Amino acid sequence: MPFSVCMRDCYDTCSMVSEFKDDRLKVRGNSNHPITAGFLCPKGALLPKWFHSEDRLKRPLIRTSERGSGSFREVNWKDAIELVAGKLRETIEEHGSESVLVYQYAGDRGVVSYSFPLRLFHYLNTAMLDYGICDRAGQEALRDVYGTAIGMDPEELKNQRLIVYWGINAFWTNLHGFMLARRYGLEIWTVDVVRTEIAKRSHRFFQIKPDTDVLLALGVAKVIIEKELYDNAFVRKNVYGFEEFRDYIKRLSLEYVSRETGVEDIETFAREFTEKRGVIHIGYGFQRSLAGGEAVRAIAILPALVGHHFGFIYDMKTLNKSYAEGAFLRTKPAKRIPQMKLAEYIERGEIKFLYIYNSNPLASLPNQKRLRKALRESDVFVVTHEVFLTDTALYSDIVLPANTFFERLDIADSYYHRYVALNEPVARLYGKSNSEVTRLLAKALEISNPYLYESDEEVVKKVLKINGLNWEELKAEGFVKIPERPRSLETPSEKIEFYSQRAVRRGLSPFPEYRTFKGKYPLRLLTPTHRMTITSQYHNTHGMIDPCLYINPGDAKEREIENGDAVEVFNDNGSIRTEARLTEDVPKGVILLYKAFWVRLLGWNANFLTADETVEGYGKGAAYHSTWVDVRKA
């Protein structure tokens, strides 16, 4: 039976075994995989339902009325490709290549699917996306301290005693990682603002106030250092700026830290974390805030104090995919457009042609009202290559049907573990792959460059070879591990930098700083992902969403809101109406809405409220969670 791999934007990247029998797809976990271990999450178990959905796009569409109206006519593939190629050529001739933007992200994480279309746009010297929507601030912060965001191989957890899930609901978003930690017998702690499902399954839960992660980490570091609990020999040999950092945190009062964070047992945290030489899985959610970069820098110091070289889990992006992307086809440097600033660049008239694949920005980007208005009022030509008629597709001029990962050859790596998994075609229903469409467009544009016509198998084999991986082994097992090469600390000092020279060069403090942030409105809005969706994916096929507003009973009482009441959530960006759910899991001053549901199905999503600010000092990372709102009875 063919090997498959779940291509979703998820830590686990599950290896699967698939079969197509009696015209139906069946999937099961690959029991030989060391991390994903033969079981699928609830979303993975429903993949056949997604694959067979009658809502899948079957023929290309051309818009016949205003954007968002849903008025399209069907055309054949030949005419659709000629229209896209013609408009692309016309745009470059009239406005220049940098007026064209390819917008893609990780809706499908296959190496070929994600990267190969970029070859065409590199060849044409178009503008490219500067990815900031997910983990950028944390990446920059970890580079400040370690020179890399690549942390510990999770299989090394078998040699550890304690894992701290800091700002990650791993029971929903990293289920196989959580089960691996359980299998290895680790003690599990959680640090978070909300009492999440992982918090309820942890041995200890430390509930903090928003934006105080940096202060809690500094307070824990203060105790470890001043009580001389740290690994003195390791610190002397491997840490740069320890004495300066020690002096910096002297001014901190633990009473102040406890009052600001809401955590009382900081000394217990510090003593037990040191005794058990804890490692930390640093989540992505809280670093999507104005305080996120500083928070990750502070948290990253703690594993080094107890003697770990790379005692954190964050990114595991170790597969070199550059050949698949083909940036070498460019003849001039790329203009980079920040992902979070798409609406702004459309408003300024800098984007005239927008090609979208592997992404649904009209669900996932913040400040949706602004983005939709910009698209309606501009002359930008939008092409979307999609499996379904998403909100983004509704705002497009041409929609091209995409196939699924069950219908093509590819490989996928993980940003959690070190395994690359094979994905073999199982059946063919509808649509064309990203690489197929790229080749068709190159041909229609009369481009002869051979790199635009390589087969998927050729690209896969070359990527594997560049990374020292064996194609035959991959075909036999369905997965292969990326070997870990000797590692060095790629900081200016070639040490772990408590005093970050890299941060100073960007105009930041050498040490993590605690700042308070206040909004115009009184309640802080958090918008995590729901268990049964991955951003906007699966809303339309699984239908298992939770559109309710979660609010603390104290905040509800002040607004005369009772459980089940219809409420309006609002700020200057927009407003939405939903149903209130009162819960002590959400602290006072905070509300929670799950993110990025389909507007065409629900009528709204949380991103009509979220802020489109960016964390300027940390790579223009997203700041969704620095959004303030208020709530009233509807």
Side-chain angles (χ1 to χ4, degrees):
M1 290 186 288
F3 289 113
S4 300
V5 54
C6 183
M7 300 288 189
R8 299 286 76 94
D9 189 6
C10 170
Y11 288 100
D12 299 13
T13 315
C14 291
S15 177
M16 303 181 291
V17 179
S18 302
E19 66 174 324
F20 198 74
K21 188 176 181 181
D22 300 326
D23 294 326
R24 299 299 296 178
L25 175 69
K26 296 181 180 180
V27 297
R28 58 181 171 83
N30 184 346
S31 59
N32 294 324
H33 196 284
I35 304 292
T36 60
F39 74 95
L40 300 176
C41 76
K43 297 182 290 289
L46 289 171
L47 279 169
K49 182 179 180 182
W50 170 77
F51 175 76
H52 287 288
S53 172
E54 284 301 315
D55 291 337
R56 285 183 60 178
L57 294 170
K58 300 172 180 65
R59 284 167 289 278
L61 303 173
I62 295 178
R63 182 168 61 87
T64 58
S65 187
E66 62 188 35
R67 294 193 194 279
S69 66
S71 296
F72 295 93
R73 64 180 175 88
E74 294 182 352
V75 294
N76 60 48
W77 270 99
K78 182 176 181 294
D79 290 347
I81 292 295
E82 287 179 355
L83 280 166
V84 174
K87 189 64 178 180
L88 184 54
R89 186 185 294 111
E90 175 190 310
T91 302
I92 292 172
E93 289 172 355
E94 292 185 10
H95 303 284
S97 61
E98 291 185 343
S99 69
V100 174
L101 174 66
V102 53
Y103 186 109
Q104 44 76 245
Y105 203 58
D108 186 306
R109 293 191 60 256
V111 169
V112 177
S113 178
Y114 182 96
S115 299
F116 189 86
L118 298 178
R119 288 187 174 190
L120 174 63
F121 294 93
H122 280 308
Y123 179 87
L124 295 171
N125 290 311
T126 72
M128 308 297 285
L129 207 58
D130 183 13
Y131 310 109
I133 198 170
C134 184
D135 56 357
R136 173 62 64 78
Q139 284 182 339
E140 294 297 319
L142 287 164
R143 290 185 185 119
D144 288 339
V145 181
Y146 292 91
T148 180
I150 297 170
M152 173 182 286
D153 181 343
E155 288 186 282
E156 287 300 310
L157 290 175
K158 63 179 177 289
N159 300 316
Q160 308 303 322
R161 296 172 59 193
L162 167 67
I163 186 168
V164 181
Y165 287 112
W166 200 309
I168 172 175
N169 185 9
F171 189 72
W172 280 12
T173 61
N174 180 220
L175 179 60
H176 295 84
F178 169 70
M179 295 304 294
L180 185 72
R182 289 266 295 261
R183 199 157 70 238
Y184 288 153
L186 273 72
E187 186 172 338
I188 295 170
W189 296 359
T190 293
V191 179
D192 212 319
V193 172
V194 176
R195 187 180 299 273
T196 60
E197 290 304 310
I198 187 70
K200 295 171 185 177
R201 289 164 172 81
S202 296
H203 296 95
R204 290 202 172 183
F205 173 47
F206 301 87
Q207 190 166 25
I208 61 171
K209 298 175 185 177
D211 293 337
T212 64
D213 306 79
V214 59
L215 197 57
L216 176 59
L218 292 175
V220 171
K222 177 183 175 70
V223 174
I224 292 173
I225 291 171
E226 294 184 354
K227 300 293 183 181
E228 298 187 348
L229 304 173
Y230 62 93
D231 188 327
N232 190 30
F234 179 88
V235 167
R236 282 202 316 271
K237 182 179 179 181
N238 298 289
V239 171
Y240 175 85
F242 174 74
E243 288 79 12
E244 294 90 338
F245 179 72
R246 181 181 57 199
D247 293 340
Y248 172 67
I249 58 175
K250 276 182 182 177
R251 63 186 177 86
L252 266 183
S253 154
L254 287 186
E255 290 77 13
Y256 172 74
V257 174
S258 289
R259 186 169 63 252
E260 288 290 292
T261 63
V263 177
E264 295 181 357
D265 45 354
I266 295 170
E267 187 161 334
T268 301
F269 187 124
R271 288 186 178 279
E272 293 198 18
F273 182 82
T274 308
E275 176 195 340
K276 296 165 185 175
R277 295 188 72 242
V279 298
I280 303 176
H281 189 152
I282 303 170
Y284 294 160
F286 72 94
Q287 56 88 54
R288 296 176 196 143
S289 70
L290 295 174
E294 297 293 319
V296 173
R297 269 178 71 194
I299 295 163
I301 287 170
L302 300 181
L305 284 173
V306 301
H308 290 296
H309 271 104
F310 299 99
F312 62 90
I313 294 172
Y314 191 74
D315 277 346
M316 190 53 72
K317 294 171 183 173
T318 55
L319 188 74
N320 182 350
K321 310 170 195 174
S322 58
Y323 178 79
E325 178 175 336
F328 51 80
L329 294 170
R330 298 194 76 89
T331 57
K332 64 179 182 180
K335 174 183 178 179
R336 294 280 175 182
I337 293 179
Q339 193 169 13
M340 308 302 290
K341 300 294 185 183
L342 179 63
E344 180 181 323
Y345 277 76
I346 292 172
E347 289 167 349
R348 297 197 323 224
E350 294 189 36
I351 302 171
K352 297 296 184 182
F353 185 104
L354 184 59
Y355 186 89
I356 301 170
Y357 72 97
N358 284 3
S359 190
N360 186 11
L362 269 76
S364 59
L365 281 180
N367 202 345
Q368 280 290 314
K369 186 176 178 181
R370 179 184 183 185
L371 176 59
R372 289 159 187 257
K373 182 174 184 287
L375 284 168
R376 284 195 302 268
E377 295 180 356
S378 76
D379 60 353
V380 62
F381 191 84
V382 183
V383 179
T384 296
H385 188 198
E386 245 297 347
V387 178
F388 297 101
L389 193 64
T390 61
D391 286 289
T392 301
L394 285 177
Y395 272 67
S396 301
D397 295 279
I398 296 180
V399 183
L400 303 174
N403 66 11
T404 70
F405 57 80
F406 290 109
E407 296 162 280
R408 55 178 168 78
L409 176 72
D410 212 333
I411 56 174
D413 65 336
S414 167
Y415 49 85
Y416 172 67
H417 56 72
R418 298 186 67 89
Y419 290 91
V420 175
L422 175 63
N423 188 81
E424 298 174 298
V426 182
R428 188 71 186 253
L429 294 187
Y430 317 112
K432 297 184 185 297
S433 71
N434 293 336
S435 59
E436 284 180 279
V437 171
T438 303
R439 295 182 194 104
L440 290 171
L441 286 173
K443 184 177 180 181
L445 290 165
E446 299 179 330
I447 301 171
S448 59
N449 191 294
Y451 286 109
L452 299 179
Y453 299 96
E454 275 192 302
S455 70
D456 295 349
E457 184 171 330
E458 286 176 307
V459 175
V460 165
K461 286 181 175 178
K462 287 178 182 177
V463 169
L464 292 172
K465 185 177 181 181
I466 288 166
N467 287 275
L469 303 175
N470 187 283
W471 167 246
E472 296 301 327
E473 181 184 347
L474 181 64
K475 283 206 304 179
E477 298 292 331
F479 58 88
V480 62
K481 189 169 187 178
I482 304 167
E484 185 165 7
R485 297 173 177 83
R487 301 185 67 181
S488 59
L489 292 157
E490 299 174 16
T491 57
S493 65
E494 298 183 345
K495 292 185 175 184
I496 299 167
E497 294 204 353
F498 288 11
Y499 180 108
S500 174
Q501 299 176 78
R502 183 176 181 268
V504 169
R505 290 170 187 171
R506 295 204 312 284
L508 302 176
S509 165
F511 307 114
E513 289 189 327
Y514 171 59
R515 292 174 55 203
T516 58
F517 297 91
K518 298 291 184 183
K520 177 179 177 181
Y521 294 88
L523 298 175
R524 185 69 170 268
L525 172 64
L526 302 182
T527 54
T529 194
H530 185 254
R531 183 183 190 181
M532 292 305 297
T533 60
I534 296 184
T535 307
S536 67
Q537 288 176 316
Y538 302 137
H539 177 179
N540 63 315
T541 55
H542 300 354
M544 299 178 186
I545 66 165
D546 181 355
C548 294
L549 166 74
Y550 288 88
I551 185 170
N552 184 275
D555 289 322
K557 184 177 181 181
E558 290 174 6
R559 292 159 176 80
E560 299 182 345
I561 294 170
E562 296 184 1
N563 198 55
D565 279 353
V567 293
E568 180 186 11
V569 188
F570 61 94
N571 62 13
D572 290 350
N573 291 338
S575 67
I576 63 97
R577 293 191 175 211
T578 187
E579 187 175 305
R581 289 282 183 269
L582 276 56
T583 175
E584 297 282 358
D585 292 342
V586 176
K588 204 166 185 302
V590 173
I591 63 168
L592 183 148
L593 287 168
Y594 292 111
K595 69 176 180 181
F597 298 138
W598 286 32
V599 177
R600 63 173 290 230
L601 298 180
L602 184 61
W604 58 271
N605 81 22
N607 284 325
F608 278 84
L609 300 163
T610 49
D612 54 5
E613 291 182 83
T614 56
V615 190
E616 294 300 311
Y618 287 89
K620 295 183 172 62
Y624 286 88
H625 296 305
S626 291
T627 297
W628 283 265
V629 299
D630 205 348
V631 181
R632 59 192 169 210
K633 290 181 73 168

